């Protein structure tokens, strides 16, 4: 049996607005096994980045549970949260905005080690920082450089080194390559894969790009307007997508061959407001396979097959489940 590191149960995050509560994350469930990667995919504004921040307690949840290594982190006091954050880190989307422009490479990577008193001496601190730089492919001569002197790939390597400083077991990657050139994206993704194998890391990889998610994920969860609409292992979701929204996302992935033809699904209609989501399926207004029941009845996330879940009235569970 796989060893579960994190399990999210009925997680909700609502933001107060003048027009009412904004349902950023609205009752989602998922789990991540140790040493594996869950890819969380969806359009901008669907709530995936908010999910990543809530499971790290960077922002407080409205309701639900986040079970990490057998304990609900939402019940932690300040002392336990600080200990938890040594074991759970985040890599941000923008490798420039997430770094202090007034700090050198050495100072940025050394900061978590200093704050958490992980170095015995200045010499030990420098040894640890240079080792982290080498681990992520940064040459030692860059230790006194500043973020504005480096390209996007090197900046993101600094962010990765910083996230590894306290030897975490779990890392949230929030669109870590979306701001980088394609060639640099491949380098960073390969680096993260190597680090995962060497350090037995567990990832929550957040992205809007299914093409990227395909190459890094063990399992994939598709999110739409605060809810997970489909979840599966990566191979099944690409071979036979179940939810209409998943089909539309897959149809938008470019195919590097003129001989292969794929019908592009163009979604029409408007995305409903997360402040007042509709009573039925939230994808109803844009769905090309909608039925009358979808307008008023919100489909539950059901077990379609082993390791396959979907929230759609069109899909019925297989008889052997």
């Amino acid at each position: 049996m796989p060893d579960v590191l994190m399990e999210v149960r009925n997680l909700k995050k609502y933001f107060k607005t003048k027009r009412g509560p904004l349902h950023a994350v609205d009752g989602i469930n998922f789990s991540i096994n140790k040493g594996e990667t869950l890819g969380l995919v969806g359009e901008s504004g669907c709530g995936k980045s908010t999910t990543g921040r809530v499971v790290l307690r960077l922002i407080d949840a409205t309701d639900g549970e986040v079970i990490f290594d057998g304990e609900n982190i939402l019940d932690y006091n300040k002392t336990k949260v600080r200990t938890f954050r040594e074991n759970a880190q985040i890599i941000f989307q923008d490798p420039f905005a997430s770094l202090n422009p007034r700090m050198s490479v050495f100072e940025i990577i050394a900061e978590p080690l200093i704050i958490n008193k992980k170095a015995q001496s200045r010499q030990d601190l420098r040894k640890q920082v240079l080792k982290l730089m080498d681990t992520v492919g940064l040459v030692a001569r860059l230790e006194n450089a500043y973020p504005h002197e480096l390209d996007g790939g090197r900046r993101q390597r600094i962010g990765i080194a910083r996230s590894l400083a306290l030897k975490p077991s779990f890392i949230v990657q929030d669109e870590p390559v979306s701001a980088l050139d394609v060639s640099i994206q491949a380098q960073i993704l390969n680096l993260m894969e190597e680090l995962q194998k060497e350090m037995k890391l567990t990832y929550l990889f957040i992205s809007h790009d299914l093409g990227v998610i395909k190459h890094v994920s063990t399992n994939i969860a598709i999110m739409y307007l605060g809810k997970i609409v489909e979840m599966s292992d990566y191979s099944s979701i690409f071979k036979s997508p179940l939810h209409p929204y998943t089909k539309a996302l897959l149809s938008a992935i470019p195919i590097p061959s003129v001989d292969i033809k794929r019908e592009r699904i163009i979604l029409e209609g408007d995305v409903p407001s997360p402040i007042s989501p509709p009573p039925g399926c939230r994808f109803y207004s844009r769905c090309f396979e909608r039925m009358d029941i979808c307008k008023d009845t919100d489909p539950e996330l059901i077990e379609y097959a082993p390791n396959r879940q979907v929230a759609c009235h069109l899909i019925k569970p297989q008889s052997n489940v």
Side-chain angles (χ1 to χ4, degrees):
M1 289 288 292
D3 195 357
V4 176
L5 178 67
M6 175 174 283
E7 184 178 1
V8 170
R9 302 172 182 168
N10 195 34
L11 186 65
K12 296 179 181 180
K13 177 58 185 177
Y14 300 162
F15 293 99
K16 292 182 180 179
T17 72
K18 292 180 180 180
R19 293 191 294 149
L22 188 152
H23 298 230
V25 179
D26 204 2
I28 64 171
N29 299 274
F30 63 81
S31 62
I32 313 175
N33 298 327
K34 289 183 179 179
E36 295 185 353
T37 300
L38 175 67
L40 188 59
V41 193
E43 294 172 296
S44 296
C46 72
K48 56 189 186 298
S49 291
T50 301
T51 299
R53 283 160 172 74
V54 171
V55 300
L56 291 179
R57 278 202 60 172
L58 295 179
I59 54 178
D60 292 328
T62 301
D63 196 9
E65 295 179 302
V66 179
I67 310 300
F68 184 84
D69 233 358
E71 296 184 344
N72 183 9
I73 67 165
L74 302 186
D75 293 335
Y76 281 179
N77 57 29
K78 289 183 178 180
T79 302
K80 295 196 75 173
V81 167
R82 182 166 181 168
T83 303
F84 163 71
R85 285 181 179 158
E86 290 186 25
N87 206 22
Q89 293 288 315
I90 185 169
I91 299 170
F92 295 98
Q93 176 178 357
D94 190 334
F96 189 65
S98 63
L99 304 177
N100 189 331
R102 297 182 179 181
M103 296 175 70
S104 67
V105 173
F106 181 91
E107 291 169 332
I108 291 170
I109 299 174
E111 186 175 32
L113 296 169
I114 295 170
I115 291 173
N116 291 278
K117 300 178 181 179
K118 298 297 183 181
Q120 304 298 320
S121 62
R122 180 71 184 179
Q123 185 179 7
D124 180 42
L125 178 66
R126 187 167 188 273
K127 182 180 178 181
Q128 289 189 55
V129 171
L130 291 180
K131 184 178 179 181
L132 285 164
M133 289 178 65
D134 180 63
T135 299
V136 300
L138 289 170
V139 294
R141 63 180 172 80
L142 295 176
E143 64 175 307
N144 294 317
Y146 288 83
H148 73 271
E149 300 176 296
L150 306 174
D151 60 31
R154 288 190 177 94
R155 291 173 191 159
Q156 196 59 291
R157 289 175 191 270
I158 298 169
I160 294 170
R162 180 177 59 183
S163 73
L164 296 174
L166 300 178
K167 301 179 180 177
S169 61
F170 175 69
I171 298 178
V172 173
Q173 301 184 57
D174 187 7
E175 304 257 17
V177 297
S178 64
L180 306 177
D181 293 337
V182 175
S183 59
I184 305 300
Q185 285 185 12
Q187 294 176 19
I188 297 300
L189 292 175
N190 290 336
L191 171 63
M192 295 307 301
E193 186 177 3
E194 291 169 8
L195 292 172
Q196 183 174 36
K197 291 177 181 177
E198 292 174 12
M199 302 181 179
K200 298 179 181 179
L201 297 168
T202 304
Y203 294 151
L204 173 61
F205 194 104
I206 297 167
S207 179
H208 65 275
D209 189 342
L210 266 172
V212 170
I213 285 289
K214 179 180 181 180
H215 296 288
V216 300
S217 302
T218 312
N219 296 294
I220 297 174
I222 308 295
M223 197 167 184
Y224 185 81
L225 208 65
K227 287 184 173 287
I228 290 177
V229 297
E230 184 168 357
M231 192 155 45
S232 174
D233 61 277
Y234 82 95
S235 58
S236 296
I237 217 163
F238 280 88
K239 288 179 181 177
S240 57
L242 299 173
H243 198 279
Y245 180 59
T246 309
K247 295 175 184 178
L249 290 179
L250 287 173
S251 77
I253 299 176
I255 302 176
S257 174
V258 295
D259 298 323
I260 302 176
K261 303 295 182 182
R262 178 196 286 163
E263 183 182 352
R264 175 71 192 276
I265 299 173
I266 306 296
L267 295 178
E268 299 178 351
D270 297 323
V271 180
S273 169
I275 294 175
S276 54
C281 176
R282 297 185 179 184
F283 190 58
Y284 175 81
S285 62
R286 304 173 74 196
C287 185
F288 50 93
E289 296 183 289
R290 59 178 176 254
M291 303 180 294
D292 291 340
I293 189 175
C294 305
K295 186 175 183 180
D296 301 311
T297 307
D298 190 16
E300 295 183 4
L301 193 68
I302 62 166
E303 193 84 11
Y304 168 74
N307 201 31
R308 296 209 72 180
Q309 295 175 294
V310 63
C312 182
H313 292 299
L314 286 167
I315 309 299
K316 305 300 178 185
Q318 292 185 347
S319 56
N320 60 346
V321 175

